[in-house]
Amino acid sequence: MLATGLPTEEQAIQAFTALHPIGRIGKPIDIANGILYLASDEASFVTGTHLIIDGGFTAI
């Protein structure tokens, strides 16, 4: 912990990671993969959805 009483960046990342059921925090590629899916032919029959890309954070 820093002298100011605030956690270090590493401590903050560890604390935030512990909140995620999947065991890690998200990366930009995680969002990009969702966008690529929606823009792909595989999503051609998708007419509307909420694509929540948060590692299960809101599921708990």
Side-chain angles (χ1 to χ4, degrees), residues 31-56:
I31 304 302
N33 286 334
I35 293 167
L36 286 172
Y37 165 70
L38 291 173
S40 73
D41 289 339
E42 284 79 15
S44 66
F45 207 64
V46 175
T47 58
T49 187
H50 291 276
L51 186 59
I52 302 170
I53 305 172
D54 69 354

Side-chain angles (χ1 to χ4, degrees), residues 2-51:
L2 299 175
T4 61
L6 297 174
T8 64
E9 181 179 356
E10 182 61 33
Q11 289 170 328
I13 290 171
Q14 287 176 354
F16 195 60
T17 299
L19 297 174
H20 282 77
I22 204 165
R24 67 176 180 85
I25 57 175
K27 301 174 189 173
I29 193 69
D30 297 320
I31 304 302
N33 286 334
I35 293 167
L36 286 172
Y37 165 70
L38 291 173
S40 73
D41 289 339
E42 284 79 15
S44 66
F45 207 64
V46 175
T47 58
T49 187
H50 291 276
L51 186 59

